[in-house]
Amino acid sequence: MTTDYDTIVLAGGAARRLGGADKPALAVGGRSLLDRVLAACPGAARTVVVGPERPTARPVVTTREDPPGAGPVAALDAGLRHTTADTVLVLSADLPFLTAGTVDALLAAGAGPGPGEPPGQADGALLVDGDGRDQPLVAAYRAAALRRALETLRAARGGLDGLPLRALLAELTVVRVRDDTAAASFDCDTWEALSAARARIREHGHVLDEWITAVKAELGIELDVDTADLLDLARDAAHGVARPAAPLTTFLVGYAAAQQGLDVAEVSRRAAALANRWAAEAEAAEAGEAGEAKE
């Protein structure tokens, strides 16, 4: 079931453990942490970033808590004022490995009852990290429940300034979704964590997908890419034609797919078959030449 939702990204804070650096603007894999988070929730009807104005890869609404620096609960309240969806995805801006899959899991667990369904008991769903800690800033909440909880806190505490997130959680009933890989909940709140994130994307199992995702974001394209198919094509072109044919052929495949609205995998198969025909002709020619030499 697809859930209509808005997203609130908390991108303020003093980043004291980073010496006051602008944490959401720090880059992992050539993309800012903020842009990496935004990429994980492309289906949001509206995305609100609570923090200073920053350039982003896609349009967002920017707002600030009042006063700036009043804390995460006040920031969440400021962001909520700009949303209209029944479900609100709430994220921090320093999650380099958050994926659309995790977002979908949270939305599914935290969505309110559908039309004609009995009322649910949960006010939302949040991620639980590998150590069992709640992550209230990797969560999907019912907007109505959040608004009630914020009003309750405002009335009881005389305001929201300086309140911790655990005070808000105490007013909500949430479902917990485990982050078994400990990736989605990984946050970059220290220089060591940032270095670890930058090293992780260069590991053998991640580097190609990370690079392709970064290139697509940089060029502003949406194109499904099967890395294995393209690598096989590059190998066939290099072997059957000439080494420089590998990058040129993969470029032409991508161009043809985009221009003609074709499936990249199908275009890759056609180009690979052509490269294999070239290779077969070359082998036949070499065999013929060898036979003539023997005569």
Side-chain angles (χ1 to χ4, degrees):
M1 177 181 66
T2 301
T3 300
D4 294 329
Y5 70 98
D6 290 334
T7 296
I8 300 172
V9 182
L10 301 194
R16 294 183 180 86
R17 299 175 70 184
L18 287 164
D22 185 7
K23 180 168 59 172
L26 295 175
V28 172
R31 292 186 294 156
S32 72
L33 289 170
L34 176 56
D35 275 340
R36 293 179 73 94
V37 170
L38 295 177
C41 47
R46 172 176 292 188
T47 299
V48 182
V49 176
V50 185
E53 289 273 358
R54 301 180 182 89
T56 54
R58 64 181 177 85
V60 300
V61 175
T62 301
T63 190
R64 294 300 305 267
E65 69 275 23
D66 186 22
V73 176
L76 179 54
D77 179 64
L80 194 60
R81 294 173 186 273
H82 294 272
T83 66
T84 58
D86 291 338
T87 300
V88 180
L89 183 69
V90 177
L91 305 168
S92 62
D94 62 346
L95 304 166
F97 305 122
L98 182 69
T99 66
T102 298
V103 166
D104 289 344
L106 289 169
L107 291 171
E117 295 178 352
Q121 296 299 311
D123 296 320
L126 57 77
L127 202 66
V128 177
D129 69 18
D131 295 322
R133 293 186 296 258
D134 287 347
Q135 302 294 317
L137 296 185
V138 193
Y141 301 104
R142 289 195 293 114
L146 268 185
R147 291 188 174 97
R148 285 196 301 269
L150 288 166
E151 286 305 314
T152 298
L153 287 177
R154 185 180 284 109
R157 307 290 185 95
L160 303 176
D161 293 11
L163 291 184
L165 286 167
R166 63 176 177 274
L168 181 64
L169 278 185
E171 302 295 330
L172 299 168
T173 300
V174 295
V175 174
R176 287 167 170 80
V177 177
R178 290 200 63 85
D179 180 18
D180 293 326
T181 66
S185 57
F186 183 97
D187 57 6
C188 291
D189 57 357
T190 66
W191 291 114
E192 291 78 11
L194 183 68
S195 295
R198 288 171 171 172
R200 178 188 174 93
I201 67 167
R202 288 172 171 79
E203 293 175 356
H204 177 70
H206 303 286
V207 64
L208 290 179
D209 286 340
E210 286 283 352
W211 172 246
I212 289 171
T213 300
V215 171
K216 290 194 294 184
E218 184 70 19
L219 300 180
I221 59 175
E222 285 296 333
L223 185 67
D224 289 334
V225 177
D226 188 315
T227 305
D229 276 353
L230 287 181
L231 289 177
D232 287 345
L233 169 60
R235 178 202 62 207
D236 292 341
H239 173 73
V241 185
R243 284 189 180 276
L248 292 173
T249 305
T250 53
F251 163 76
L252 291 171
V253 162
Y255 185 83
Q259 286 292 101
Q260 301 176 37
L262 301 174
D263 180 64
V264 174
E266 175 59 26
V267 181
S268 296
R269 284 192 290 271
R270 287 164 54 186
L274 176 62
N276 289 330
R277 292 199 299 272
W278 272 59
E281 289 178 12
E283 291 172 2
E286 290 176 3
E289 291 170 3
E292 291 175 2
K294 289 179 181 179
E295 294 175 0

